[in-house]
Structure formats: C-alpha cells, structure tokens
Amino acid sequence: MNCIFCKIAKGEINARVVYENDKAMAFYDINPQAPIHILIIPKKHYENLFEEIDKEDAMAILDCVKSVVKSLNIQHYRLVSNAGKGAGQEVFHLHLHLLTGREFPAKTV
Ligand code: 5GP
Ligand code: ZN
C-alpha cells in the first residue's frame, strides 16, 4: 500500500518525531497551521474514524496526545480529525491534528 503515514510509521520516510511507542506515533506536520502542529497516528493503517478501530490503537493515540501535551508542557490545544474528502481529509491514514501555540478565536465548533 502506498501510504505516506505507514512509511513514516515504519521509519521509511523521515519525520520530526515528538513521541513514539509500539502502537502510535506523534510527529510535526510538514505544513503547520499553527506554531505547533503535531500529527498523531496509529502505526496500524486505518483510513479514518469511520473504520472500526482496535481498542488498543484507540487508547494508544489518546495516550499519545497526553504524552505530547505533557512533554511539551502544552497549556491548551485543539484536536481535529478530518474523516472523508468532504471534511478536507487528504491523507487517508487515520490521524489527529494537535494544534497549539496560538489562540483560537475563530471557533468552528
Ligand atoms: P488531512 O488533510 O488529511 O487531515 O491532513 C493531512 C496532513 O498531513 C496535512 O496537514 C499535511 O500537511 C500533512 N502531511 C502530508 N504529507 C506529509 C508528510 O510527508 N510529512 C508530514 N510530516 N506531514 C505531512
Ligand atoms: Zn497508512
């Protein structure tokens, strides 16, 4: 499968990794939309949250969020997951966008 995030998960493509364990990984987005823009992925391939996610993988990405927040001493953040083309998803490997480093006055939700 030609999936860029699977390649990052396997270390075949470089990324600025913030945190990693056996099931999940966090790395900086290549085209940041905030001063700190980190992507959190399960190492196993899922297209997005429409899929049935193994409990361990679901927990692993949430634990990954916590580890990143703790290690970077983040005080507030926004977490987004685009599911489907209509929502703006471009990479079809499940990921959470963790955005921080600025205020978010324009609320979308
Ligand atoms: P989506 O639009 O699918 O929700 O988000 C995909 C994100 O992946 C985008 O924010 C884009 O900048 C990021 N991205 C795409 N290719 C790469 C890459 O090769 N490396 C990194 N670090 N981020 C990428
Ligand atoms: Zn993948």
Side-chain angles (χ1 to χ4, degrees), residues 4-5 8 13-15 27-31 37 39 82 88-92 95 97:
I4 194 136
F5 287 180
I8 288 175
I13 288 180
N14 281 342
F27 54 91
Y28 285 96
D29 195 293
I30 205 176
N31 180 26
H37 184 170
L39 299 172
N82 298 319
Q89 185 175 8
E90 287 178 352
V91 176
F92 283 80
H95 54 279
H97 295 260

Side-chain angles (χ1 to χ4, degrees), residues 5-56:
F5 287 180
C6 280
K7 288 180 180 164
I8 288 175
K10 288 183 200 146
E12 293 171 5
I13 288 180
N14 281 342
R16 285 176 63 206
V17 177
V18 186
Y19 177 83
E20 180 175 10
N21 62 31
D22 60 328
K23 294 214 173 297
M25 191 173 188
F27 54 91
Y28 285 96
D29 195 293
I30 205 176
N31 180 26
Q33 302 303 309
I36 296 175
H37 184 170
I38 292 166
L39 299 172
I40 290 146
I41 63 165
K43 289 190 173 175
K44 182 173 168 183
H45 184 89
Y46 301 95
E47 275 206 354
N48 53 41
L49 287 172
F50 279 110
E51 284 195 33
E52 187 93 19
I53 314 296
D54 291 349
K55 278 201 174 64
E56 309 88 73

Side-chain angles (χ1 to χ4, degrees), residues 47-70:
E47 275 206 354
N48 53 41
L49 287 172
F50 279 110
E51 284 195 33
E52 187 93 19
I53 314 296
D54 291 349
K55 278 201 174 64
E56 309 88 73
D57 290 323
M59 284 313 297
I61 54 175
L62 293 180
D63 285 345
C64 199
V65 170
K66 282 196 180 165
S67 298
V68 168
V69 165
K70 204 170 172 191

Side-chain angles (χ1 to χ4, degrees), residues 60-107:
I61 54 175
L62 293 180
D63 285 345
C64 199
V65 170
K66 282 196 180 165
S67 298
V68 168
V69 165
K70 204 170 172 191
S71 69
L72 299 185
N73 193 26
I74 289 169
Q75 301 298 312
H76 70 266
Y77 62 89
R78 198 168 269 192
L79 200 59
V80 175
S81 191
N82 298 319
K85 275 208 170 70
Q89 185 175 8
E90 287 178 352
V91 176
F92 283 80
H93 179 125
L94 171 60
H95 54 279
L96 307 176
H97 295 260
L98 189 155
L99 301 147
T100 189
R102 64 169 165 88
E103 301 264 316
F104 294 97
K107 290 186 71 109

